[in-house]
């Protein structure tokens, strides 16, 4: 193993958008900060000087190959909570850091919104509305529901916090069984057993090789009739084909902000399956993003400048002092 | 004033539906309980014997004139939180009791659902869905919003509880300025001034002569551009004509579970106004109703049988022991 220089020496950083550069003024004097969207050429820094890259928020995954052009790359910072593809796109010596926390409020509130819209028929009312149809139907409340939350990271925690006053019974699933400040976390090996008792299954794990297809045909088959599957994580965490089959049978319901593929192609049966609500990956993309992204990056740049460890490191790529 | 006999002597009660009668078995032996929906003839009790009537949950307002047929009526118990028209439909000597609390969870969660659906564009996504349109737009989050809650009764309290984890700034308005366990309640005289700073105005007051038209043209005009009006109370609490004018101008948004009149007639401009989400008075009508109604009525019948004061009395109609 090569021992790499200490992170405190990172001095050349790019940001993906001008508004971020503006909002982060004044920058720490120890840093030189350029602008690079991974599409056009970097501004303010030469490719050969760049050591740290903050990825764009939207569309980063497709632009990851551009990182190959950065010979001295040592740090990649996402503006997303997920880091799909980033670990594989850069060498093991490159530190990978996420914007965990920045999207938690926005994604967690969408999860609650999707549950409520689906259960309470807000989606159907919205479709009736242009035709002037007043179609009163007794609905299932969120109150009294048994909710199974798969994923207990930052956004999972925020979903749990927001669910707490809604008179639900909540069970949580993480990688390993354990107890935390909020009670017991079940291990992922218990997922099928727990699904048998879940009226709402909420998926909010990162997409990794161990979560790909985690909510598979077996888990879905274990859910009771009429259960609602809510996915605000990443599409491939749920087996889309198996879920499509279940909803087309009318056995399960679904409220999906993410699916596979995205955008969902025209004519895909999920678009028109009964009991399915689809939103176009709205998760973290709200007014909540900018102030939280600015707050995080300001703190992270100050840490870089001071040679302190960064928050949200998902892979430490170099030997720290 | 005539001094009426003590409430503990009420022994003849009607319930509006068979499932309630079944669910409340075994009934307190001291009571004789019949079945009456205020449309057909009472079963199990003669009109002349009835002293207490539990109104039907749906459609009670139109059936109130039937109470004139009950010569010994002394108590009316709604299955709604509101009691629109009940005080006027019976004499001052008749006690009026509501189902306050029974609908709180259901109505409060709908208020949150309407906010989230409107802000996050879940309604628009639901309309895009049948056409297979993937229309990603950056939205306003509920997080960081300034919410003005008008109404601090049972449902208002439950809305406030549910909003607490959503990273909003909440101001509350009641009849009179005061402090309660959750902080300061502004008086209704401050409503116009508070509206100037509100991004979301949520209305959850009972409909009384003092709240009719409470959210009038002046309050609506005070709201900043783009503000969202959420009504889960009763339609006439908001000036529907003034609100319609504001949303047609594109100045305000609205998410309305109640409006005036209901059902909203076909062709009414609110149906197709931009930024308006309409649900067909779904508020309390969910699976949450039955278990909570049963729990309340079981407790109330036990109190009647024991000669104890009832919960949720909005007008004591007789002299109590």
């Amino acid at each position: 193993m090569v021992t790499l220089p200490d992170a405190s020496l990172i001095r050349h950083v790019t940001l993906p958008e001008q508004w971020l550069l503006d909002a982060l003024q004044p920058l720490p004097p120890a840093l030189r900060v350029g602008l690079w969207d991974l599409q056009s050429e970097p501004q303010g820094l030469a490719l050969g000087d760049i050591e740290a890259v903050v990825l764009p928020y939207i569309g980063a995954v497709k632009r990851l190959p551009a990182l190959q052009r950065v010979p001295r790359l040592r740090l990649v910072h996402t503006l997303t909570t997920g880091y799909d593809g980033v670990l594989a796109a850069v060498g093991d010596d490159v530190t990978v850091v996420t914007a965990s926390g920045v999207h938690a409020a926005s994604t967690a509130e969408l999860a609650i919104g999707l549950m409520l819209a689906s259960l309470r028929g807000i989606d159907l009312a919205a479709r009736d509305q242009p035709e002037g149809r007043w179609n009163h139907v007794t609905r299932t409340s969120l109150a009294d529901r048994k909710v199974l939350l798969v994923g207990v990271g930052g956004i999972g925690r925020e979903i749990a916090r927001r669910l707490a006053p809604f008179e639900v019974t909540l069970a949580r699933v993480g990688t390993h069984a354990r107890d935390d400040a909020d009670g017991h976390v079940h291990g992922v090996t218990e997922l099928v057993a727990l699904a048998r008792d879940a009226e709402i299954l909420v998926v909010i794990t990162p997409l990794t090789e161990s979560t790909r297809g985690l909510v598979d045909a077996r888990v879905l088959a274990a859910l009771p009739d009429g259960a609602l599957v809510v996915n605000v994580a990443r599409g491939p965490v749920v087996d889309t084909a198996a879920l499509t089959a279940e909803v087309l049978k009318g056995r399960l319901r679904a409220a999906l902000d993410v699916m596979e593929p995205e955008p969902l192609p025209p004519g895909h049966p999920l678009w028109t399956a009964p009991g399915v609500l689809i939103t176009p990956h709205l998760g973290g993309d709200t007014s909540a993003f900018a102030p939280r992204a600015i707050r995080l990056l300001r703190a992270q740049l100050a840490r870089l400048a001071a040679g302190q460890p960064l928050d949200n490191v998902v892979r430490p790529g170099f030997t720290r002092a």
Side-chain angles (χ1 to χ4, degrees), chain A:
Chain A
M1 288 288 278
V2 180
T3 300
L4 289 146
D6 182 75
S8 65
L9 297 182
I10 287 182
R11 288 293 173 257
H12 300 87
V13 183
T14 63
L15 297 172
E17 294 191 61
Q18 183 68 47
W19 68 266
L20 271 173
L21 191 56
D22 295 343
L24 290 167
Q25 301 297 328
L27 292 159
L31 301 181
R32 286 193 53 205
V33 181
L35 199 62
W36 190 33
D37 61 5
L38 283 74
Q39 286 189 312
S40 40
E41 289 307 299
Q43 295 169 39
L45 281 181
L47 274 171
D49 289 331
I50 298 171
E51 295 158 301
V53 171
V54 178
L55 297 177
Y57 167 43
I58 301 280
V61 173
K62 289 180 185 155
R63 304 186 201 168
L64 290 174
L67 294 173
Q68 307 292 339
R69 302 175 56 207
V70 185
R72 299 177 60 191
L73 185 68
R74 290 169 50 208
L75 177 78
V76 175
H77 199 309
T78 71
L79 283 181
T80 52
T81 309
Y83 47 99
D84 332 356
V86 180
L87 297 186
V90 294
D92 283 351
D93 55 327
V94 175
T95 300
V96 177
V97 183
T98 71
S100 174
V102 163
H103 302 285
S106 187
T107 307
E109 71 177 44
L110 183 69
I112 310 296
L114 288 173
M115 284 178 222
L116 287 168
S118 177
L119 291 175
R120 301 300 301 269
I122 296 174
D123 54 344
L124 303 184
R127 282 183 210 136
D128 282 338
Q129 193 177 324
E131 314 300 324
R133 274 196 301 267
W134 182 272
N135 186 20
H136 181 99
V137 179
T138 304
R139 300 282 178 194
T140 304
S141 59
L142 178 53
D144 306 335
R145 297 284 74 70
K146 295 175 194 164
V147 182
L148 182 60
L149 180 62
V150 182
V152 290
I155 303 177
R157 208 159 43 233
E158 292 302 317
I159 292 174
R161 279 186 59 226
R162 281 164 178 73
L163 274 176
F166 280 89
E167 304 182 27
V168 299
T169 307
L170 181 66
R172 297 177 299 146
V173 176
T175 309
H176 304 290
R178 61 186 183 277
D179 292 307
D180 67 12
D182 300 317
H184 187 63
V185 177
H186 297 271
V188 74
T189 54
E190 301 170 70
L191 183 53
V192 171
L194 290 163
R196 291 196 187 102
D197 200 36
E199 298 175 288
I200 303 176
L201 176 79
V202 188
V203 187
I204 185 60
T205 64
L207 175 60
T208 65
E209 281 322 303
S210 58
T211 63
R212 187 177 293 276
L214 177 67
V215 178
D216 59 9
R218 236 161 36 103
V219 174
L220 295 171
L223 288 168
D225 289 356
L228 172 67
V229 176
V230 178
N231 191 358
V232 288
R234 288 290 184 268
V237 178
V238 175
D239 180 335
T240 298
L243 179 62
T244 303
E246 291 277 18
V247 296
L248 286 175
K249 274 189 281 186
R251 212 190 69 75
L252 297 181
R253 304 167 52 82
L256 308 173
D257 189 48
V258 295
M259 54 229 87
E260 195 187 21
E262 284 178 27
L264 197 66
H268 192 290
L270 274 180
W271 281 119
T272 50
V276 174
L277 170 57
I278 289 176
T279 51
H281 203 142
L282 302 171
D285 188 15
T286 68
S287 63
F289 170 64
R292 287 164 181 77
I294 292 163
R295 218 178 298 150
L296 173 67
L297 288 179
R298 181 171 290 133
Q300 299 280 58
L301 293 180
R303 290 183 191 110
L304 265 191
Q308 294 166 350
L310 300 188
D311 268 6
N312 303 335
V313 173
V314 290
R315 187 180 67 187
F318 40 67
T319 307
R320 302 212 116 271

